[in-house]
Structure formats: C-alpha cells, structure tokens
Amino acid sequence: MSELINGILYEKRHDIIINNMSDGIYYYFDYDERSFQVNMDFQHFHSFYEIHILLAKSASHLVEGIPYSIHAGDIVLLRPSLLHKTIYPQGAPSRRLIINFLYPQEYLDSHPAFSRILEPFGQEIPIFRFDQEKTAILSDMLNQVFLLSTRSMPADILNTMVHAEFTRFLYRLWELRSFNVYVPEKFESPLSEKIYQITSYIHNHYSEELSLESLAEQFYISTYYLSHRFRQVTGYTLIHYIQMTRIRSAQYALINTREKITDISAACGFTSFSQFNRVFRKFCGVSPSDFRRDPVTSSFPTHSA
C-alpha cells in the first residue's frame, strides 16, 4: 500500500526496473528503508548515475571522503565513479528513494542536450535542497513515474513513458539548480576537518606521487598521528584510501575511454604497470583488460519478466 512521505509516493520494497544495463537506457527506482545496523563499512562507487532522496528526518552522506549532513527531501546526485556512502542514524529504519540510471555513450552523443541537463551531477557539492514549492514540483514528477509503474500497460510503452517523465525531472532539476539552498554543516572537530582536507587533496591529486611522509609534511602533522587518525576518521588506512581512489579513476577510464591501459595506469598515479595490475586485481578481482572487456555489473538489478 503506497503512502505519501515528504511529498514522495512510497511503498516499501517497491521497485521499477527498465531494461538490463546491457540493453541500453537503464533505470532502477528502489523504494526501501535502511537502518544503522546495515551501514556500509566502506565507500563504494558505480559506473552509473545515482540519485539518493532521503525520506527520513536525517542521515549523513560521504562523497569523495567528505561527510555531509542531509535532511528529509535533500537530493544527493552521484555521477559515475564517485566514491560515496550513506550513513543512517541509530533508531528506526530510514526510508529513502534511490534511482540508478545509465545512458549509452552513443545515446549521449546523439542527444547532446543530456550533457547539459546532467550538469548538476558535476557540482563540487552534489547535494540539492530546495524550498517547499520547488521540492513539490520535483516530487510530483517522480510521483508520475511511481504511478506509471502501478498501471497495466505493455512493457515497451512503460519504458518509453518512464524515460520521458524522468527526462522531464532531470530538465527541471537543471532549471532549478541555481535555487539550491544547501549549505554544508561545520565539521564536528578540527581533527576531522584536517583529515577531510587530506582526503579531498587525495581526490584532486591522485595522479601525483603521494605518500604518508609527503602528506604529513604538507598538512603539518606527524606521520604517526596522520597514520592513526586517518584510519580512525575514515575507516581506511591512508595507503588503502590512495589506492582505492586511483583504482576508481582507472575503472572509469577503462569503461569510458579508449586510452591504452598503460597510459591509464600512469595517469592514475601508478609507478609501474605491474603495480597497477596487482592493485587492480586486489580491488576488482580481475585484470584491467578483463574488466574493460566485461565491466563488473553485479550491482545492477536485472529486469525480471
């Protein structure tokens, strides 16, 4: 039974799946809830776009290692290959709507307007908060998608209608982007702020030589203190975090470019191809060449007949 939560039509475990990833244009709308007990240990990334809309009172979202507090109705936009993790508070499970979608490159090439309406996903802080009127406009568009999924119609008609409604949503979000009133809250402590300055630096300089010693010197902190506090704040060792960031970028390049794998290795900060191949296998379970031929798709829900 559906209900209206913060303006969004919601039904627990309701989903809408349009196509498989390999079929071309792909959509997955996931209406569900998550609790503190199932918070992910680590940040993760996808090769598709993701929209997270919180329907509960509050939560936190890590984006590229930086924590952001989010409230009911906030829209988190995650472009492909962006490290992220949602942290839900203790207590009752938090309801949320997650939308995953993917457009084939040839579709984007033939529809250049999509490059423009997807611009909000490239914002430095990809979180949007609007006033009540504008939030209602966007919510109503998503509710049209929900209502379409409850009607009996041929699959090809449903696919076309969902694509049309969601495209309207993306356009209106782009149109309203300048009315975003989201302001990040202050860090909980000077220590956390220092560590997150370092994670941000890693995301912007992963192609350069990075080490515990060089980062400690640059940010005026002892190597011992950085090593221990970095893991305390982020949940990762510093080296693991650097490697993860580099592999994330390599995955994106393997999927979305035709660059030589050796060039990708160097551009992502690896000092040798053998090191790149070893670290890539550790994180991904396959070689870079195998990944390029068949990108890992296990995180994509598949269409059920």
Side-chain angles (χ1 to χ4, degrees), residues 147-159 161-162:
L147 291 172
L148 283 169
S149 71
T150 65
R151 299 172 185 167
S152 178
M153 66 178 74
D156 57 341
I157 299 297
L158 175 63
N159 294 359
M161 294 299 293
V162 168

Short mmCIF file of all heavy atoms in Angstrom, two decimals, residues 147-159 161-162:
data_model
loop_
_atom_site.label_atom_id
_atom_site.label_comp_id
_atom_site.label_asym_id
_atom_site.label_seq_id
_atom_site.Cartn_x
_atom_site.Cartn_y
_atom_site.Cartn_z
N LEU A 147 3.40 6.25 -10.31
CA LEU A 147 2.05 5.92 -10.74
C LEU A 147 2.06 5.12 -12.04
O LEU A 147 1.25 4.20 -12.22
CB LEU A 147 1.23 7.20 -10.90
CG LEU A 147 0.89 7.94 -9.60
CD1 LEU A 147 0.24 9.29 -9.91
CD2 LEU A 147 -0.01 7.09 -8.70
N LEU A 148 2.96 5.47 -12.95
CA LEU A 148 3.07 4.70 -14.19
C LEU A 148 3.37 3.23 -13.90
O LEU A 148 2.85 2.34 -14.56
CB LEU A 148 4.18 5.29 -15.07
CG LEU A 148 3.87 6.57 -15.84
CD1 LEU A 148 5.13 7.15 -16.44
CD2 LEU A 148 2.83 6.30 -16.93
N SER A 149 4.22 3.00 -12.89
CA SER A 149 4.63 1.62 -12.59
C SER A 149 3.49 0.79 -12.00
O SER A 149 3.59 -0.43 -11.93
CB SER A 149 5.81 1.63 -11.62
OG SER A 149 5.41 2.03 -10.32
N THR A 150 2.42 1.44 -11.55
CA THR A 150 1.30 0.71 -10.94
C THR A 150 0.21 0.40 -11.96
O THR A 150 -0.77 -0.27 -11.63
CB THR A 150 0.68 1.53 -9.79
OG1 THR A 150 0.10 2.74 -10.31
CG2 THR A 150 1.74 1.87 -8.74
N ARG A 151 0.35 0.91 -13.16
CA ARG A 151 -0.67 0.71 -14.19
C ARG A 151 -0.32 -0.49 -15.07
O ARG A 151 0.85 -0.83 -15.25
CB ARG A 151 -0.81 1.96 -15.05
CG ARG A 151 -1.25 3.19 -14.27
CD ARG A 151 -1.19 4.44 -15.13
NE ARG A 151 -1.50 5.63 -14.34
CZ ARG A 151 -1.29 6.86 -14.76
NH1 ARG A 151 -0.77 7.07 -15.97
NH2 ARG A 151 -1.59 7.90 -13.98
N SER A 152 -1.33 -1.08 -15.62
CA SER A 152 -1.13 -2.22 -16.53
C SER A 152 -0.97 -1.68 -17.94
O SER A 152 -1.89 -1.06 -18.50
CB SER A 152 -2.34 -3.16 -16.45
OG SER A 152 -2.19 -4.23 -17.35
N MET A 153 0.21 -1.88 -18.51
CA MET A 153 0.48 -1.44 -19.87
C MET A 153 1.61 -2.27 -20.44
O MET A 153 2.41 -2.86 -19.69
CB MET A 153 0.82 0.05 -19.90
CG MET A 153 2.11 0.43 -19.19
SD MET A 153 2.47 2.21 -19.31
CE MET A 153 1.25 2.86 -18.16
N PRO A 154 1.74 -2.35 -21.76
CA PRO A 154 2.85 -3.10 -22.37
C PRO A 154 4.19 -2.56 -21.90
O PRO A 154 4.35 -1.36 -21.66
CB PRO A 154 2.64 -2.86 -23.87
CG PRO A 154 1.19 -2.54 -24.01
CD PRO A 154 0.82 -1.80 -22.76
N ALA A 155 5.16 -3.45 -21.77
CA ALA A 155 6.47 -3.08 -21.23
C ALA A 155 7.13 -1.98 -22.05
O ALA A 155 7.75 -1.06 -21.49
CB ALA A 155 7.38 -4.30 -21.16
N ASP A 156 7.01 -2.05 -23.38
CA ASP A 156 7.69 -1.04 -24.20
C ASP A 156 7.06 0.35 -24.01
O ASP A 156 7.76 1.36 -24.03
CB ASP A 156 7.69 -1.44 -25.67
CG ASP A 156 6.29 -1.68 -26.23
OD1 ASP A 156 5.35 -1.88 -25.43
OD2 ASP A 156 6.13 -1.69 -27.47
N ILE A 157 5.75 0.39 -23.78
CA ILE A 157 5.08 1.66 -23.51
C ILE A 157 5.53 2.20 -22.15
O ILE A 157 5.84 3.40 -22.01
CB ILE A 157 3.55 1.50 -23.54
CG1 ILE A 157 3.09 1.03 -24.92
CG2 ILE A 157 2.88 2.82 -23.16
CD1 ILE A 157 3.39 2.01 -26.04
N LEU A 158 5.59 1.32 -21.14
CA LEU A 158 6.05 1.74 -19.82
C LEU A 158 7.47 2.30 -19.89
O LEU A 158 7.78 3.34 -19.32
CB LEU A 158 6.00 0.57 -18.84
CG LEU A 158 6.58 0.84 -17.44
CD1 LEU A 158 5.77 1.92 -16.73
CD2 LEU A 158 6.61 -0.45 -16.61
N ASN A 159 8.34 1.59 -20.60
CA ASN A 159 9.73 2.04 -20.73
C ASN A 159 9.80 3.45 -21.33
O ASN A 159 10.54 4.31 -20.83
CB ASN A 159 10.51 1.07 -21.62
CG ASN A 159 10.66 -0.29 -21.00
OD1 ASN A 159 10.20 -0.53 -19.88
ND2 ASN A 159 11.28 -1.22 -21.71
N MET A 161 7.42 5.77 -21.41
CA MET A 161 6.81 6.77 -20.55
C MET A 161 7.70 7.12 -19.37
O MET A 161 7.83 8.30 -18.99
CB MET A 161 5.46 6.26 -20.06
CG MET A 161 4.42 6.09 -21.17
SD MET A 161 4.04 7.65 -22.00
CE MET A 161 3.24 8.54 -20.68
N VAL A 162 8.34 6.12 -18.76
CA VAL A 162 9.24 6.38 -17.64
C VAL A 162 10.42 7.22 -18.11
O VAL A 162 10.83 8.18 -17.43
CB VAL A 162 9.72 5.06 -17.00
CG1 VAL A 162 10.88 5.32 -16.04
CG2 VAL A 162 8.58 4.37 -16.26
#
